[in-house]
Amino acid sequence: AAASASSPDDASSSSPTSFPDDASGDEVAVDRKLELAAIVAFAVPLLATNIVTPLLTMTDTAFVGRCAADTTIQLAALGVSTPLTDYTVTLAAFIPAGLTNIISNGEARGESSASLGAKTYGALLVSLALSLAVALVLNLCPETLLAMLNTPTAVMATATAYTKVRSIGMPAAYLTAAAYAVLVARKDTTSPLACVCLAAVVNVLGDYVAVAVYGGGSVGAAWATTAALYAGCVAILWTLKKKGYADHFPWGTLRWKEQLAPVMAFAGPITFLVFALLSIYTALILFANALGVTVSAAHRVAGNVFAVAVLCGDPLIQAGQAFMPKHLLPEAPSRRNARRMAGLLQSVGVAVGAFASVACGAFCLFGGGAFTHDAAVIGQLRDVTVPVCAAVFTNIVSKSMYGVTVAAKQLGFLAAITGVGLAFFAWALKWMNANLVGSALYFWMWWVVAGYYALAIVAIQLKSFGFPGVSEGMFSRKVGG
């Protein structure tokens, strides 16, 4: 990654920690050490935030797995209902992605507070409307949705009850995600961490009371998580108000061009990306459920471990959007600094991906007992350790490149490579369904997930940096070239 991000003349730098100026002499070179320090200072609180967030769900899993009377059924119920409550939040992923891009670019251009306030206000309105629609569907049609996931009959009642309770928390989850983006776009990553930690404390206390003390099982855990979501939502919205970001909200107005259109421009491409990921993760759940309760319960644990591990890459998405805009302004003499920053983020992605995959592997091998005492479930978890780790590594590296591509507003390109990746996944799915049986099917599904992200890495690498002697990348050209 580092080699791809630098050119031969970079080696002649007069400083070991900075790159030389562009030949034009008009561009101040990126200082690699200073930028790396800034990325770390930005990403560490964000990483902590992103790891604490899924602990709301993992805490549910741990309390239910160790305290519920019918552990296997309860874990299997969580395994099929969680996608309907956690993954549906990603249907609004275009809102935080769009807001981060809009605000970070606006700040780089010196856009007025009134203009940014109107766009933020519009994005929050979209979040609220979409969350209410999703909550209504989850509350009225849980059985239909769960049946589409091949939920076992023995699990259906528990999964339905869990989904209905969690649907109540959708507005809090959606508004929190949007408010989070407002702060992160301005490189404030400590305030979101404080709000998420508050929610985590509420969730742990709630799980202890509802599950361990009163034996509420998965439904009790759902109430604890819902309460935690609202606690975090109130905290982060209060933070926006305290910092003055709500001072320029045009309360009581509704205008498409000034308020809604900016964030809605991200809806199509980003929603397609989310659809592709949800399709892949849903396929994993379907195959796991079809292979019986043991594999379904094991996937509940494996899926949670994977979800937490890959969150280590999320700060790199936001870092790309927060740090790249100043290097992509029309007045920038060249794309050289953009190329260097992209290469630096990619190098960080490789390092973070290696660390997270090793940690994930250690947990799959030795940490299964934290979630269940069932030896068969623990054994199945260990069987998929290697492909899960590979999927973690490729996911994180691709995220370090994804944020840079979004910052460059290459949304059409991202949608295109996602379509190709989804076609590859569908073909692999068809082949495996015809040629594999039993737990081997589940094992190779994880390898296909890793392959999906590997294809994205190759495509974005070529798009960003080109291929020597064949083509130039988008960061290899002069501005306007």
Side-chain angles (χ1 to χ4, degrees):
S4 301
S6 58
S7 56
D9 60 324
D10 288 335
S12 63
S13 173
S14 59
S15 167
T17 61
S18 62
F19 294 101
D21 290 345
D22 188 87
S24 66
D26 298 326
E27 188 173 24
V28 177
V30 167
D31 188 307
R32 187 180 180 90
K33 182 180 291 186
L34 289 179
E35 292 290 358
L36 180 59
I39 290 171
V40 171
F42 172 90
V44 169
L46 201 55
L47 174 59
T49 301
N50 290 344
I51 290 177
V52 170
T53 298
L55 290 180
L56 273 67
T57 299
M58 291 190 71
T59 301
D60 290 352
T61 303
F63 271 96
V64 170
R66 297 185 66 86
C67 300
D70 50 347
T71 299
T72 302
I73 294 297
Q74 294 283 344
L75 282 177
L78 290 177
V80 294
S81 57
T82 296
L84 298 180
T85 56
D86 288 0
Y87 290 171
T88 49
V89 175
T90 62
L91 292 175
F94 71 92
I95 297 174
L99 262 181
T100 302
N101 189 283
I102 290 166
I103 295 175
S104 58
N105 277 279
E107 293 274 319
R109 295 193 308 267
E111 188 173 347
S112 69
S113 298
S115 177
L116 291 177
K119 294 173 182 178
T120 302
Y121 171 80
L124 290 172
L125 286 181
V126 174
S127 293
L128 180 60
L130 185 56
S131 69
L132 291 174
V134 170
L136 188 64
V137 172
L138 290 177
N139 196 270
L140 297 180
C141 312
E143 294 90 348
T144 301
L145 296 171
L146 289 167
M148 293 171 62
L149 295 176
N150 290 341
T151 303
T153 303
V155 174
M156 180 64 77
T158 304
T160 297
Y162 181 89
T163 301
K164 285 186 174 182
V165 174
R166 284 293 305 274
S167 70
I168 300 171
M170 289 297 108
Y174 279 60
L175 288 173
T176 297
Y180 169 95
V182 175
L183 296 171
V184 169
R186 292 178 167 91
K187 299 182 180 178
D188 177 4
T189 56
T190 55
S191 296
L193 175 59
C195 297
V196 168
C197 286
L198 172 64
V201 170
V202 172
N203 191 60
V204 171
L205 293 176
D207 274 331
Y208 175 74
V209 173
V211 181
V213 177
Y214 289 100
S218 60
V219 175
W223 281 113
T225 299
T226 300
L229 287 171
Y230 276 100
C233 181
V234 170
I236 201 166
L237 291 178
W238 178 82
T239 300
L240 290 188
K241 186 177 185 303
K242 181 181 178 182
K243 289 181 174 290
Y245 299 144
D247 291 349
H248 297 279
F249 283 4
W251 297 104
T253 64
L254 185 63
R255 299 187 182 92
W256 172 259
K257 184 177 181 180
E258 296 86 358
Q259 300 170 8
L260 306 180
V263 75
M264 291 304 297
F266 291 81
I270 298 299
T271 301
F272 179 65
L273 301 182
V274 171
F275 167 77
L277 294 179
L278 289 178
S279 298
I280 290 173
Y281 297 147
T282 300
L284 280 173
I285 295 168
L286 290 173
F287 274 88
N289 291 345
L291 292 170
V293 173
T294 297
V295 175
S296 180
H299 181 63
R300 169 62 183 172
V301 179
N304 266 320
V305 174
F306 173 79
V308 172
V310 299
L311 283 175
C312 293
D314 282 5
L316 299 178
I317 298 178
Q318 281 113 358
Q321 294 188 72
F323 286 85
M324 288 293 292
K326 65 181 180 182
H327 303 302
L328 298 172
L329 292 173
E331 56 266 28
S334 77
R335 289 289 185 250
R336 174 168 292 192
N337 277 345
R339 185 172 73 250
R340 292 164 178 160
M341 179 60 71
L344 178 60
L345 287 166
Q346 188 182 15
S347 299
V348 174
V350 170
V352 173
F355 171 80
S357 61
V358 170
C360 176
F363 193 92
C364 287
L365 289 173
F366 308 112
F371 291 97
T372 180
H373 299 297
D374 191 315
V377 173
I378 294 174
Q380 181 62 62
L381 175 64
R382 290 173 175 168
D383 287 345
V384 296
T385 296
V386 174
V388 170
C389 291
V392 167
F393 178 78
T394 53
N395 176 285
I396 291 175
V397 175
S398 69
K399 283 179 176 177
S400 70
M401 306 165 77
Y402 168 87
V404 169
T405 312
V406 173
K409 298 184 178 179
Q410 297 293 319
L411 300 179
F413 169 74
L414 286 176
I417 64 173
T418 299
V420 172
L422 201 57
F424 158 75
F425 182 82
W427 171 82
L429 183 69
K430 181 178 179 181
W431 185 90
M432 289 189 300
N433 194 44
N435 294 276
L436 300 175
V437 294
S439 59
L441 193 58
Y442 179 59
F443 174 87
W444 282 102
M445 282 292 295
W446 278 108
W447 276 116
V448 173
V449 173
Y452 171 87
Y453 291 118
L455 286 175
I457 292 171
V458 172
I460 298 176
Q461 177 77 12
L462 293 175
K463 177 69 174 179
S464 299
F465 305 111
F467 191 84
V470 178
S471 64
E472 287 188 338
M474 62 181 173
F475 299 139
S476 300
R477 299 186 295 270
K478 292 282 186 180
V479 175

